Amino acid sequence: MTLTVIPVRGESIYSILSRVHTIEGRRSPLDTLRIWTGVRGYKPLSGLPTCLAEFSRHLKLSGGAQRLISNHTHYPLFAHFLPSQRRKQLLEAMIHHGSPKARVGLLRSDLGASDTRRYCPECLAWDLSAHGVALWHREHTLPGTELCPEHGIKLIEVPVTAKFGERELILPEGVTPAQNFNSAPVVDALFFISQQIKILLERTPVGVIDGKVYREILREEGLITKKGSVRQRSLVKAITAWLKPLHGISEFRHLTSTINGDRSWPADLVDVHKGFHHPIKHIVLWGALALDAQSILNSSAAIGEQLLLPLAFEKPIRPSADYLQEFLDQSGSYRRAAKSLGVDVNTLLVWAEAEGLPIKHRTKSITPEKRGAIKRDLLMHPVSVVAQLHRVSVATVYRIRRVSSYPHIQSKNN
């Protein structure tokens, strides 16, 4: 097999297989699936696919199945919420044969286990320009993900209607004019959800986000009584209010309908002894508490159980100042440059600031004096508290802290 397809970071397994099928020109996708995965009835749409050892062998991919898992599947998203043993079982099922979604608990999830074929018109245009081919992105395919985390516009769904069903191998085509929801609160909530999903997909799972982590967070938020009980009524009220703008979307309407009762899902979510919940439920909780993925990940790394068998993720290497400047000039924007480099915008901003490169959209209110005050307060307070004290975003505080980790920058700013 001489065909070489080089996967693009963030491209889904379904997209890679669709590219293979399109290039080879076979009539039946079932034949392509059998040849490349060893299974004729393979389910390529799944964000937690199996037989990745076989697939990576045919791709002749350096890093093998682990590279596919970390860069092209939903494993990182779900692993943040799983203890070490279940992570190990999930990896084994994906690398070889098994039932990954059953091992995670998705088959019993309120949000379902089905993945979709969705694409962003802006991403499609960029992929055609940068890679010469339209791609399916892994962060676009989850239930409840309605907006692109990069562009904030509504994703376009391509329904499964062909005779091969979900095993049909096609690529997105045709740039449809960008659409969106009419209500700003709906857009804000959906954009928040999609951004948190992308962050979780791109971060290496270390600590487990579980009831132990939430109890510490709820204690800081004043939602734990002196006797150690969760103030469930207040918690449910906050989540219900946050979900209200999303009532017109079926997945979130269902979450609202199941929020009350003798044992509601918010109560189970923060219970130390309860098991898996869909990541979107966790993200809804974060939104209701005015938190974000980065602050939660920091808490889980400090409090939660550590991963015993870490997955080998590719760590981006910080380019030189000259290379960064040249790349930014060619790309025209930080967002495009970050996407081409395979990092998030926040990381690229940190690199640029560490090298002293100009950042056009840097907030003018963040003066050197304020930056120094934020760094000093970080020695005494959590990030969320510092953000509130200085009336800046949590992301801004994290960026200042990350830039300060470079010794030559500390001497400049202090």
Side-chain angles (χ1 to χ4, degrees):
M1 193 173 298
T2 59
L3 173 67
T4 300
V5 172
I6 302 175
V8 176
R9 187 179 179 89
E11 180 184 10
S12 69
I13 295 295
Y14 176 76
S15 181
I16 301 170
L17 282 166
S18 294
R19 282 208 281 153
V20 168
H21 181 68
T22 301
I23 293 172
E24 291 189 334
R26 288 192 182 85
R27 296 185 62 181
S28 172
L30 300 181
D31 292 336
T32 299
L33 294 173
R34 176 181 55 79
I35 292 170
W36 282 81
T37 70
V39 180
R40 182 176 174 83
Y42 192 80
K43 295 182 178 180
L45 263 181
S46 175
L48 296 175
T50 60
C51 305
L52 293 182
E54 179 72 6
F55 187 33
S56 64
R57 183 178 67 82
H58 283 301
L59 282 174
K60 298 180 174 61
L61 192 66
S62 63
Q66 289 197 336
R67 180 177 174 184
L68 287 177
I69 290 171
S70 64
N71 292 341
H72 304 284
T73 76
H74 291 160
Y75 169 84
L77 173 67
F78 294 104
H80 290 292
F81 307 97
L82 299 174
S84 297
Q85 187 58 33
R86 290 187 68 184
R87 292 180 185 181
K88 181 181 178 182
Q89 292 172 351
L90 177 57
L91 285 173
E92 289 174 347
M94 295 177 70
I95 292 172
H96 304 294
H97 296 273
S99 181
K101 291 187 176 181
R103 294 191 184 193
V104 170
L106 277 178
L107 301 182
R108 302 187 303 273
S109 170
D110 292 335
L111 286 159
S114 298
D115 296 281
T116 60
R117 291 192 301 203
R118 287 176 176 161
Y119 70 91
C120 163
E122 293 289 337
C123 288
L124 186 149
W126 165 256
D127 290 336
L128 287 172
S129 173
H131 309 297
V133 63
L135 308 172
W136 301 101
H137 294 235
R138 62 175 173 174
E139 65 267 25
H140 293 163
T141 63
L142 287 151
T145 305
E146 300 282 343
L147 298 186
C148 173
E150 291 288 337
H151 303 101
I153 59 177
K154 190 175 182 181
L155 298 173
I156 296 171
E157 184 167 349
V158 179
V160 176
T161 57
K163 65 178 181 179
F164 295 110
E166 65 176 23
R167 293 173 178 83
E168 178 189 30
L169 295 174
I170 61 172
L171 293 168
E173 58 182 1
V175 180
T176 304
Q179 306 174 37
N180 217 332
F181 295 90
N182 295 325
S183 169
V186 173
V187 172
D188 290 344
L190 291 175
F191 193 39
F192 173 81
I193 290 170
S194 64
Q195 285 183 312
Q196 306 316 299
I197 286 173
K198 185 172 179 62
I199 290 171
L200 293 172
L201 282 170
E202 294 178 349
R203 296 294 190 274
T204 303
V206 182
V208 182
I209 303 173
D210 58 10
K212 294 178 183 177
V213 175
Y214 284 135
R215 288 194 71 84
E216 292 300 319
I217 292 172
L218 293 176
R219 185 173 285 108
E220 292 180 5
E221 299 290 329
L223 291 172
I224 299 287
T225 67
K226 292 182 179 179
K227 294 183 178 180
S229 300
V230 176
R231 299 185 189 277
Q232 294 185 22
R233 185 175 299 178
S234 299
L235 185 63
V236 167
K237 183 178 179 181
I239 293 175
T240 302
W242 198 87
L243 280 171
K244 187 175 181 180
L246 303 180
H247 189 71
I249 300 171
S250 60
E251 291 94 343
F252 299 103
R253 185 166 58 249
H254 181 67
L255 288 186
T256 303
S257 67
T258 57
I259 201 170
N260 292 302
D262 295 336
R263 197 62 182 173
S264 63
W265 63 261
D268 285 344
L269 194 66
V270 300
D271 193 316
V272 174
H273 304 292
K274 293 296 179 178
F276 172 82
H277 283 272
H278 197 285
I280 286 184
K281 287 185 178 180
H282 291 265
I283 293 171
V284 168
L285 173 64
W286 306 345
L289 297 178
L291 300 171
D292 62 12
Q294 190 58 62
S295 60
I296 298 293
L297 289 172
N298 288 341
S299 296
S300 68
I303 301 168
E305 173 194 356
Q306 300 300 300
L307 179 61
L308 299 178
L309 298 171
L311 185 65
F313 281 68
E314 292 182 343
K315 185 177 181 180
I317 300 173
R318 180 160 64 103
S320 66
D322 291 341
Y323 182 83
L324 271 177
Q325 187 62 67
E326 182 181 353
F327 211 89
L328 287 168
D329 291 341
Q330 291 177 355
S331 300
S333 73
Y334 272 84
R335 177 169 289 174
R336 288 184 177 179
K339 191 165 187 177
S340 296
L341 285 168
V343 300
D344 58 67
V345 176
N346 206 40
T347 295
L348 184 57
L349 286 170
V350 170
W351 286 350
E353 194 162 358
E355 296 293 350
L357 300 181
I359 301 176
K360 295 180 180 179
H361 60 281
R362 178 188 287 154
T363 307
K364 293 182 180 179
S365 62
I366 307 297
T367 62
E369 292 77 15
K370 191 166 191 174
R371 192 179 300 272
I374 288 173
K375 287 192 288 182
R376 288 192 296 272
D377 286 340
L378 280 170
L379 299 174
M380 301 177 289
H381 304 291
V383 170
S384 58
V385 173
V386 175
Q388 292 177 0
L389 285 173
H390 294 276
R391 296 185 178 181
V392 297
S393 69
V394 170
T396 296
V397 177
Y398 276 117
R399 188 178 303 141
I400 290 172
R401 189 172 73 175
R402 288 176 66 187
V403 171
S404 301
S405 66
Y406 298 103
H408 65 288
I409 294 298
Q410 290 184 23
S411 61
K412 288 181 183 179
N413 292 337
N414 286 340

